[in-house]
Amino acid sequence: MKELFHEINIPSQVYEELTCEGTPENVKNNLQELIKDNFVKIVDLNAETAEYLNYRNIINGNLYKGCRIGKGEAAAITLAYENKGILASNNFKDIKFYVDYFELPLLTTAYLLGYCLIKI
């Protein structure tokens, strides 16, 4: 990942999901190392901003026929959109509408594995 990006920003909602009980210890430990190295940064959504309004509209289902998605996915979509970034997710079923709606570039594990295979 460090060869592809200079940093990765994840919303605090995603951080909470990745560090909750039940997440494998190696995932938690790797994440903490990446944070310590300043490669991964935890980003909070600021209330009373356009990004927070988008986030609330997504989690409340106001943009897509009452369809609600998780807070982590909603925050990641919002941050990618507001910062002209790339959304990284494998949860295509839940996020497809929003990827299309906000015209977001999407990075999946399959893409990364394909990229790594080409580099070998």
Side-chain angles (χ1 to χ4, degrees), residues 22-34:
T23 299
E25 287 303 313
N26 65 321
V27 172
K28 292 179 188 180
N29 293 337
N30 288 338
L31 177 60
Q32 293 308 324
E33 284 298 315
L34 293 170

Side-chain angles (χ1 to χ4, degrees), residues 93-104:
K93 178 182 149 217
D94 288 349
I95 65 166
K96 182 187 180 331
F97 170 82
Y98 299 102
V99 167
D100 293 343
Y101 182 84
F102 290 113
E103 299 180 348
L104 293 173

